[in-house]
Amino acid sequence: MSTNQQGHIRLTSHPGAGPASRFPITWGADSARGRGPVIATVNSGPDRNAIGAHGGAYSVYRALAISAGALNPLVRPDLTDTAPTAQIGPHPQWSDPDRIVSLDPYGHRVAQDFAAEIAEGVDIRPTIAVTKARLTLPEIQEAIAKDRLTPDGTVLRPEGDIAVTKAALDPVWWLPGVADRFGVSETQLRRTLFEQTGGMYPELVTRPDLKVFLPPIGGITLYIMGDPALLGRAPLTCRVHDECNGSDVFGSDICTCRPYLTHGIEECARQAQAGGVGLIVYNRKEGRALGEVTKFLVYNARKRQPGGDQAATYFERTECVAGVQDARFQQLMPDVLHWLGIAHIDRFVSMSNMKHDALTEAGITIGERVPIPDELVPQDASVEIEAKKAAGYYTPEPAPTSEDLTRVVGRDLKDF
């Protein structure tokens, strides 16, 4: 490899196909075996059929553990008793190559679907895990104390914790599909990924025959309240939330992230208690996918400008520092809803137009949009809310209810 004067990395070798894996991938096949396993471990030899490494961003920590001698690079996971605690799918969306391009819909079924290959020594690893847990939040305790929620002993216990099924999903990108979502050629996407990661994955440009990429980024965590088997069959309340460590974990009051997240959890618990399902989709996209360093620089720039923090210059200051207002680009976000078999969201706990439009353009209908109550907006976050409204990121008034929409279209939205 070499670097030109513009800092672009160029390969000095010629691209071409490598030896064919005995496990070709047919994206969008109607079964795991028809599709083929995703094999991305570096010790898989000729079986390797994907670019990148399992574990996403954590693959670098794995490398450090191997360097330090704490981890044997040849060790393979024992998947005994790791099966999902709830059955997810298969759903019709799994066999539609246009619906899911950023995750492996069969990623939680590896030990089940490829047991024979694993037994013979093929290193196939899950990219999705499903387990059960309980959520304990002071905001839920407060909702019980104020009689907004009443423990039922199943969804919400008297102690105030919420029973959930949770799933972790690592990204698995089908490069032709990702390119199509963003309206670029696969060649352009591969070249840009290669260059903008400092040439970390030369196979992006030297192995056009490898179409699957496991990028070194954070994944998605789902929190399902109620019976997961009812997803797509019962009323659904859903909050799609993008990570904000400062607010979500530490309670920083410059934004509405934790208040909206906990409000969404409360609404999801209420839906589950009524016989429906509540769903929180938590995406690792810190600081609008710009990262915390950039976010904190923007905080300083906003607060130090003449006149202090202002809605009128909110996004301008972000763009001055980062070069872009928002790098989340929600085109890939609906994939996880398709993985769950969801075609309609009855109550969407978000007023983000970007999220709403991405879902509806992906064929997922939305009934009611649920705004954050005014009393939950921290004083320091009012600038953020007003800026989003002015920029068209955020619907300023409550959207029509599902009953309103039913009157307009003349039929129940659940019939769609």
Side-chain angles (χ1 to χ4, degrees), residues 23 113 132 162 261 276 308 377 380 394:
F23 298 106
D113 291 329
K132 288 186 181 295
I162 302 172
L261 175 61
V377 178
D380 205 22
Y394 194 91

Side-chain angles (χ1 to χ4, degrees), residues 149 155 164 222-227 230-241 260-282 337 340 342-350 359 364-371 402 414:
L149 285 176
V155 175
V164 298
L222 304 178
Y223 295 88
I224 303 168
M225 287 153 247
D227 185 353
L230 295 177
L231 283 164
R233 299 165 45 204
L236 173 68
T237 292
C238 175
R239 163 78 182 161
V240 174
H241 190 90
Y260 221 152
L261 175 61
T262 57
H263 173 58
I265 293 171
E266 180 178 336
E267 292 296 321
C268 286
R270 184 175 293 109
Q271 183 74 84
Q273 287 183 311
V277 186
L279 172 66
I280 301 292
V281 178
Y282 194 90
L337 283 297
L340 293 170
I342 293 169
H344 178 71
I345 299 171
D346 295 85
R347 305 185 74 237
F348 186 49
V349 189
S350 171
L359 289 167
I364 298 172
T365 57
I366 294 175
E368 177 186 2
R369 295 170 69 179
V370 182
S402 56
K414 293 188 184 64

Side-chain angles (χ1 to χ4, degrees), residues 101 174-187 189-190:
V101 301
W174 172 246
L175 290 170
V178 173
D180 187 62
R181 288 276 180 94
F182 285 88
V184 299
S185 70
E186 182 187 343
T187 299
L189 173 67
R190 296 172 77 112

Side-chain angles (χ1 to χ4, degrees), residues 81-399:
D81 293 331
T82 62
T85 58
Q87 180 67 34
I88 305 294
H91 296 293
Q93 292 95 321
W94 294 15
S95 57
D96 184 342
D98 296 325
R99 293 290 187 190
I100 298 177
V101 301
S102 62
L103 59 91
D104 176 6
Y106 302 101
H108 57 311
R109 298 167 51 100
V110 163
Q112 169 188 340
D113 291 329
F114 299 105
E117 287 79 3
I118 292 172
E120 73 176 44
V122 182
D123 195 355
I124 306 171
R125 304 192 180 188
T127 56
I128 300 174
V130 184
T131 189
K132 288 186 181 295
R134 292 189 176 276
L135 302 184
T136 302
L137 298 167
E139 290 87 349
I140 298 302
Q141 303 277 356
E142 180 183 354
I144 294 172
K146 293 185 175 180
D147 295 325
R148 297 200 307 266
L149 285 176
T150 302
D152 61 282
T154 302
V155 175
L156 179 60
R157 295 202 307 175
E159 295 81 1
D161 52 350
I162 302 172
V164 298
T165 297
K166 63 180 183 178
L169 300 91
D170 281 339
V172 177
W173 288 4
W174 172 246
L175 290 170
V178 173
D180 187 62
R181 288 276 180 94
F182 285 88
V184 299
S185 70
E186 182 187 343
T187 299
Q188 180 182 349
L189 173 67
R190 296 172 77 112
R191 170 62 67 178
T192 305
L193 287 169
F194 168 71
E195 292 182 344
Q196 294 304 314
T197 56
M200 186 182 294
Y201 299 103
E203 292 163 309
L204 285 166
V205 289
T206 64
R207 294 292 304 276
D209 56 310
L210 298 181
K211 301 292 188 180
V212 171
F213 176 42
L214 279 62
I217 59 175
I220 303 168
T221 308
L222 304 178
Y223 295 88
I224 303 168
M225 287 153 247
D227 185 353
L230 295 177
L231 283 164
R233 299 165 45 204
L236 173 68
T237 292
C238 175
R239 163 78 182 161
V240 174
H241 190 90
D242 293 332
E243 178 184 26
C244 178
N245 185 64
S247 179
D248 295 344
V249 178
F250 295 100
S252 171
D253 66 352
I254 196 171
C255 61
T256 59
C257 296
R258 180 181 174 94
Y260 221 152
L261 175 61
T262 57
H263 173 58
I265 293 171
E266 180 178 336
E267 292 296 321
C268 286
R270 184 175 293 109
Q271 183 74 84
Q273 287 183 311
V277 186
L279 172 66
I280 301 292
V281 178
Y282 194 90
N283 296 293
R284 294 310 191 289
K285 296 179 181 178
E286 177 63 60
R288 299 199 197 100
L290 300 170
E292 276 198 306
V293 170
T294 296
K295 182 164 75 170
F296 290 6
L297 293 173
V298 171
Y299 286 166
N300 289 344
R302 282 168 47 192
K303 293 188 174 185
R304 288 173 177 165
Q305 63 187 336
D309 199 7
Q310 305 164 46
T313 56
Y314 178 91
F315 286 109
E316 177 187 330
R317 299 308 299 142
T318 301
E319 193 164 0
C320 286
V321 175
V324 65
Q325 294 181 3
D326 195 323
R328 286 174 294 177
F329 304 112
Q330 302 288 350
Q331 286 94 326
L332 302 179
M333 177 268 289
D335 287 22
V336 72
L337 283 297
H338 289 310
W339 178 65
L340 293 170
I342 293 169
H344 178 71
I345 299 171
D346 295 85
R347 305 185 74 237
F348 186 49
V349 189
S350 171
M351 301 304 282
S352 165
N353 291 332
M354 291 176 66
K355 294 175 183 175
H356 172 275
D357 294 348
L359 289 167
T360 56
E361 288 169 9
I364 298 172
T365 57
I366 294 175
E368 177 186 2
R369 295 170 69 179
V370 182
I372 185 172
D374 290 341
E375 63 269 19
L376 294 183
V377 178
Q379 182 175 357
D380 205 22
S382 59
V383 170
E384 175 200 52
I385 292 292
E386 293 308 313
K388 288 181 177 179
K389 290 178 181 178
Y393 273 53
Y394 194 91
T395 295
E397 302 296 336

